[in-house]
């Protein structure tokens, strides 16, 4: 039976941004409801070791997210297994509809739907993801100290990742399918001057090669886009750096966006272009894209929502307890 909920704060997304917003909003007595979406726990559930979450020298990504969920729940945030399929932000209260058939009528919304790295879609890329294939140099570069690695791509992301990876790798080969880069000139200059980076023009990745036991990358096969000639390059790590896509489907026609689809927030806040709607995490961040920055923004969004609700009285009476839904 479908339900209509009347709540103060709806949090959409269950990554570090969403769960942190849940902790703060619950402790502010806002009885938040957090809708988890198709990937409970978010992107970190797709990785293994995380070594840059403060307080944990090493933690498995899925374990960290289970702990974050438990923390939010323990503080009083209601966690709902649903996917928001539409969001009407034209007036308060805002109306979100879930895939479950439930309707969430809410005074404030915290958007924490994250982003996705773009992948090439090769079976071998999929096979070695998390075992030598990565889309995040900041996250995984440290694992390749003194090793040869390759970066795939030719835009700003690829150039920045290649430059960053020279802090760890003995050699970085940048594989690009064109004969020139589409990055900022200053970045290209830095890349071309870096003795550890070797660009490989007019080539595309056709296969990641490696061992099965233990699962690990040993190299790549690339194809010359004009001649079709195949070359093998030894490498322990393959960084696919062809961009990210923010999960903005619910709001892309309503909210102000920047840098190809990231939700814009007023500097130093989580306020979007619609009052009462806040954004946090990778959805709004084209630059850092880290668990800890996402969590920080989740905190900001809950505090901003709390202040907003104090200054803008509720338009309809919210449920006394978020865990007591009204049946239709
Ligand atoms: C393989 C990998 C390894 C990484 N390693 C590290 C690392 O070591 N350290 C680090 O700091 N960062 C790492 N990152 C980056 C980090 O995971 C992200 O920066 C972080 O997860 C972003 O958090 P977020 O809360 O913004 O969103 P996400 O984690 O992307 O979560 C988004 C959430 O939104 C939900 N959602 C989306 N659409 C809807 C909808 N319509 N309705 C309801 N819910 C919805 C999803 O189900 C998901 O729960 C890694 C990323 C990847 C992919």
């Amino acid at each position: 039976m479908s339900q209509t909920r009347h709540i103060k704060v709806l949090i959409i997304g269950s990554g570090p941004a969403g769960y942190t917003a849940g902790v703060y909003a619950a402790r502010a007595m806002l009885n938040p409801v957090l809708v988890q979406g198709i990937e409970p726990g978010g992107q970190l559930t797709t990785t293994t070791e995380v070594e840059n979450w403060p307080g944990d020298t090493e933690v498995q990504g899925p374990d960290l997210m289970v702990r974050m969920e438990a923390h939010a729940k323990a503080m009083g945030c209601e966690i709902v297994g649903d996917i928001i399929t539409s969001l009407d932000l034209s007036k308060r209260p805002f109306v979100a509809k879930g895939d479950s058939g439930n309707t969430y009528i809410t005074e404030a919304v915290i958007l924490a739907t994250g982003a996705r790295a773009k992948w090439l879609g090769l079976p071998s890329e999929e096979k070695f993801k998390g075992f030598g294939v990565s889309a995040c140099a900041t996250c995984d570069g440290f694992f390749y100290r003194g090793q040869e690695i390759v970066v795939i791509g030719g835009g700003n992301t690829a150039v920045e990742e290649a430059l960053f990876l020279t802090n760890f790798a003995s050699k970085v080969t940048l594989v690009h399918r064109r004969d020139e880069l589409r990055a900022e000139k200053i970045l290209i200059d830095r890349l071309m001057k870096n003795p550890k980076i070797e660009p490989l023009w007019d080539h595309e990745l056709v296969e990641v090669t490696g061992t099965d036991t233990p699962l690990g990358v040993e190299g790549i096969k690339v194809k010359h886009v004009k001649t079709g000639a195949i070359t093998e390059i030894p490498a322990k790590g393959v960084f696919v750096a062809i961009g990210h896509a923010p999960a903005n489907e619910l709001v892309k026609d309503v909210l102000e966006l920047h840098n190809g689809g990231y939700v814009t927030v007023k500097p130093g806040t989580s306020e979007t272009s619609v009052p009462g709607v806040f954004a946090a995490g990778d959805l709004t961040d084209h630059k850092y894209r880290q668990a800890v920055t996402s969590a920080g923004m989740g905190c900001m969004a809950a505090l901003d929502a709390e202040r907003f609700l104090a200054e803008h009285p509720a338009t309809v009476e919210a449920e006394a307890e978020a865990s007591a839904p009204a049946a239709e």
Side-chain angles (χ1 to χ4, degrees):
M1 186 170 48
S2 62
Q3 296 169 336
T4 296
R5 313 284 308 265
H6 292 94
I7 55 184
K8 288 184 195 154
V9 181
L10 177 69
I11 301 167
I12 308 178
S14 58
Y19 284 144
T20 308
V23 168
Y24 276 79
R27 293 188 79 252
M29 309 300 283
L30 296 177
N31 295 329
V33 172
L34 182 153
V35 177
Q36 288 182 305
I38 201 160
E39 187 175 59
Q43 292 172 63
L44 277 190
T45 61
T46 67
T47 191
T48 49
E49 291 96 14
V50 175
E51 292 191 340
N52 52 15
W53 178 256
D56 285 306
T57 312
E58 185 187 311
V59 59
Q60 295 292 306
D63 294 346
L64 179 60
M65 297 319 298
V66 166
R67 277 165 40 195
M68 281 197 207
E69 177 180 351
H71 187 174
K73 218 185 261 179
M75 292 298 119
C77 177
E78 184 186 340
I79 315 275
V80 178
D82 199 358
I83 301 167
I84 300 301
T85 51
S86 73
L87 183 60
D88 182 354
L89 300 178
S90 58
K91 61 179 187 319
R92 275 182 80 219
F94 307 118
V95 180
K97 292 200 187 294
D99 191 46
S100 60
N102 289 350
T103 300
Y104 307 84
I105 299 178
T106 181
E107 297 296 332
V109 176
I110 295 176
L111 299 164
T113 50
R116 285 284 159 280
K118 291 183 188 161
W119 296 97
L120 295 163
L122 300 170
S124 57
E125 171 193 62
E126 188 61 35
K127 173 177 172 182
F128 290 108
K129 256 187 212 170
F131 296 90
V133 171
S134 169
C136 178
T138 314
C139 314
D140 297 330
F142 191 68
F143 298 122
Y144 299 95
R145 295 187 294 280
Q147 317 230 26
E148 295 192 6
I149 55 188
V150 297
V151 172
I152 313 293
N156 276 341
T157 310
V159 176
E160 281 173 356
E161 303 263 276
L163 285 165
F164 178 75
L165 287 165
T166 59
N167 293 322
F168 315 100
S170 57
K171 179 181 173 189
V172 177
T173 305
L174 181 77
V175 178
H176 186 34
R177 61 196 161 116
R178 299 184 210 281
D179 59 4
E180 60 182 359
L181 298 163
R182 289 168 292 107
E184 287 168 40
K185 191 173 172 322
I186 186 164
L187 289 174
I188 297 175
D189 285 350
R190 258 183 239 156
L191 179 119
M192 300 310 271
K193 282 184 195 145
N194 193 309
K196 279 192 180 176
I197 302 179
E198 187 179 308
L200 183 64
W201 308 115
D202 292 323
H203 280 80
E204 60 186 21
L205 179 68
V206 287
E207 190 184 345
V208 180
T209 55
T211 53
D212 283 344
T213 39
L215 199 54
V217 168
E218 292 294 333
I220 58 169
K221 286 184 187 167
V222 289
K223 185 173 83 176
H224 195 288
V225 292
K226 290 171 189 154
T227 67
I230 301 285
T231 307
E232 292 193 35
I233 303 172
K236 290 288 183 192
V238 178
F239 287 81
V240 179
I242 54 174
H244 283 78
N248 64 12
E249 295 76 11
L250 293 171
V251 296
K252 65 179 184 328
D253 299 325
V254 185
L255 296 182
E256 233 173 73
L257 306 174
H258 67 283
N259 282 78
Y262 293 85
V263 170
T264 301
V265 290
K266 206 167 118 192
T269 78
S270 64
E271 295 167 19
T272 69
S273 51
V274 172
V277 179
F278 305 90
D282 282 13
L283 174 67
T284 174
D285 173 20
H286 71 285
K287 195 169 173 189
Y288 302 106
R289 291 194 294 255
Q290 293 297 290
V292 71
T293 46
S294 299
M297 287 185 245
C299 156
M300 289 164 67
L303 296 178
D304 287 342
E306 181 191 6
R307 200 158 303 136
F308 174 85
L309 291 171
E311 290 166 4
H312 299 80
T315 47
V316 291
E317 197 175 337
E319 296 162 18
E321 291 291 332
S323 53
E328 272 198 332

